[in-house]
Amino acid sequence: MKGVTIVDHPLVQHKLTIMRKRDTSTKSFRQLLKEIGGLICYEVTRDLPLEKVEIETPMTTMMAPQLAGKKLVLAPILRSGVGMLDGMLELVPAARVAHIGLYRDPVTLNCVEYYFKAPVDIAEREVIVVDPMLATANTAIAAVDRLMEAGAKSIRMACLLASPEGISKFQGHHPKVHIWTAAIDERLNDHGYIIPGLGDAGDRMYGTR
Ligand code: URA
């Protein structure tokens, strides 16, 4: 599918299967989400540019590659995006973090922002929006809108599961934002949940239901 990369690595697929199971504990779910966050981050950053620099090994000098491009901002959407964040920060410890708090107004169904804090130099950075579930895509679209309003120019979207409806809606609004996901599930149900999915990622991660 254009604009979407499926992270089909066997470790990711195996961990996702455990996360989907109804009986998986809160502790395991949280641990797996963190681990998958790191593995997905590995794929999302695969094309970051490198430059050769001269270094000295204990044996000799050599030209060795190091990251050359823009620095990163990881932008988790509260609350379940935070579940992938630590795994990503383990890989990219110097990344900055932008927290985005959005909820859906039960009457208007519009996204309402309740928290937003991003690095001031976001325009010079590559931004990775982090949300495990790209379901209706309403919050992901609003998050990207908000990051662009704050100055972000180059944005990627990292999730764990996506719905076909969410992908097409997201791409309708933000065609230039590439999506990475471990799977595209069958459909959304009438309540905006992904089927077969894994349930409510935030509740499963924090044990709130
Ligand atoms: N958010 C979730 O946590 N799960 C879904 O299936 C959809 C949105």
Side-chain angles (χ1 to χ4, degrees):
M1 190 184 278
K2 196 166 172 286
V4 182
T5 299
I6 309 281
V7 183
D8 59 0
H9 192 288
L11 288 177
V12 172
Q13 295 301 316
H14 180 80
K15 289 173 194 293
L16 173 57
T17 297
I18 301 171
M19 292 179 77
R20 286 182 188 274
K21 291 182 184 170
R22 175 192 288 276
D23 293 337
T24 295
S25 68
T26 299
K27 177 171 177 264
S28 301
F29 189 92
R30 194 183 304 145
Q31 175 64 28
L32 288 161
L33 188 55
K34 178 185 164 189
E35 290 170 10
I36 288 196
L39 293 166
I40 288 180
C41 184
Y42 185 76
E43 291 298 334
V44 175
T45 53
R46 180 177 281 283
D47 67 346
L48 293 184
L50 295 168
E51 65 187 354
K52 290 274 177 75
V53 290
E54 188 173 295
I55 60 161
E56 269 183 50
T57 77
M59 314 302 288
T60 182
T61 60
M62 70 173 287
M63 298 301 286
Q66 71 174 20
L67 289 169
K70 296 179 188 168
K71 302 270 194 312
L72 297 183
V73 172
L74 303 175
I77 301 177
L78 305 177
R79 69 187 156 147
S80 55
V82 173
M84 292 169 74
L85 178 67
D86 283 350
M88 299 175 108
L89 282 172
E90 276 179 11
L91 283 196
V92 200
R96 302 293 157 88
V97 178
H99 287 96
I100 307 168
L102 294 166
Y103 72 90
R104 193 158 27 150
D105 184 288
V107 179
T108 64
L109 299 185
N110 291 332
C111 277
V112 182
E113 178 184 314
Y114 63 90
Y115 190 79
F116 183 84
K117 188 88 178 175
V120 286
D121 60 351
I122 196 165
E124 284 89 58
R125 290 174 176 264
E126 185 75 33
V127 180
I128 303 174
V129 179
V130 186
D131 189 0
M133 310 300 274
L134 189 67
T136 62
N138 290 338
T139 47
I141 290 165
V144 173
D145 287 344
R146 186 64 181 86
L147 288 161
M148 288 169 71
E149 195 188 311
K153 298 197 165 46
S154 185
I155 303 178
R156 303 169 182 218
M157 176 79 215
C159 56
L160 171 63
L161 275 187
S163 70
E165 298 91 332
I167 289 175
S168 86
K169 188 163 179 193
F170 184 83
Q171 290 184 327
H173 282 77
H174 295 299
K176 292 197 180 129
V177 178
H178 195 97
I179 300 166
W180 281 259
T181 182
I184 303 173
D185 272 10
E186 219 175 285
R187 64 185 171 88
L188 280 184
N189 72 7
D190 294 342
H191 304 286
Y193 278 83
I194 297 177
I195 305 296
L198 49 71
D200 188 298
D203 280 340
R204 295 204 60 192
M205 179 181 143
Y206 292 117
T208 41
R209 184 166 291 173

